[in-house]
Amino acid sequence: MNPAARADMEARADRALRRGELAEALHLYESLARAFPDDAALALKLTNLRDSLQPSELQALQAFQPPEEEASLPLAPSSPAQEGERLFALGDYVGAAAAYRRALQERPDSELLKERLIELYALAREMPLQSPTDKALPKAAEPRLQALLDRVASRRRLKRD
């Protein structure tokens, strides 16, 4: 694992912990601790996370396996933030940023959305010109059309005050 991948994984673990996604945070920290067994800071974060949980919670989280990524695109996200997460997971950082900007209009005081947008702007500057979601589009005509319509909707113009 290279330093950039490690930093990215650690940032995702920290973000999952802040969001309260304890299963995801525990999974990521454990993966990092296995990859870097001599890192005292990672070991401390993992220990603090485990210590903050009740034994029954820890057993339930350890039994939980994170769900596999779905191969098909969902038909319609329930919120702009979820659409942003979906596009981010597919690697479409520009589309995800547009969705997060719409989510920020609905909740302008959300620090989490602002943090995510800053992260996305940095990633979008480094991305290739062709969208990685092109490869993830369904082959069948109707689902492909729906996915393309979702993509267009995610990039619609923001409401101006």
Side-chain angles (χ1 to χ4, degrees):
M1 182 181 299
N2 64 28
R6 176 196 169 152
D8 178 58
M9 186 180 257
E10 193 167 351
R12 287 186 301 149
D14 292 339
R15 187 172 38 257
L17 186 59
R18 283 193 308 272
R19 290 179 176 173
E21 298 168 354
L22 301 180
E24 179 69 12
L26 186 64
H27 172 72
L28 290 169
Y29 281 134
E30 286 175 341
S31 297
L32 283 165
R34 281 192 300 273
F36 302 98
D38 298 331
D39 190 325
L42 281 175
L44 181 63
K45 287 181 180 182
L46 183 57
T47 302
N48 287 341
L49 176 57
R50 286 183 176 150
D51 288 347
S52 70
L53 299 171
Q54 297 292 326
S56 60
E57 290 176 315
L58 185 59
Q59 287 175 349
L61 288 176
Q62 287 175 335
F64 172 77
Q65 294 297 323
E68 295 296 322
E69 292 293 321
E70 291 184 14
S72 65
L73 297 173
L75 287 180
S78 63
S79 73
Q82 286 182 343
E83 174 69 0
E85 283 297 317
R86 183 181 74 82
L87 291 170
F88 179 82
L90 291 172
D92 186 359
Y93 303 133
V94 175
Y100 275 111
R101 283 193 306 268
R102 283 196 317 281
L104 195 58
Q105 280 186 332
E106 294 173 6
R107 296 186 324 201
D109 58 331
S110 173
E111 291 299 320
L112 187 60
L113 291 174
K114 291 175 185 175
E115 173 187 319
R116 192 64 157 167
L117 267 173
I118 292 169
E119 177 184 348
L120 282 167
Y121 286 139
L123 289 170
R125 275 188 239 120
E126 300 169 3
M127 72 176 272
L129 294 177
Q130 183 179 6
S131 173
T133 55
D134 291 344
K135 296 174 190 160
L137 286 172
K139 301 296 180 218
E142 270 190 48
R144 185 178 189 93
L145 177 61
Q146 182 62 47
L148 288 170
L149 289 172
D150 286 346
R151 184 185 293 177
V152 169
S154 74
R155 292 186 173 107
R156 72 179 182 243
R157 289 201 169 271
L158 297 173
K159 294 179 225 171
R160 303 289 179 201
D161 292 332

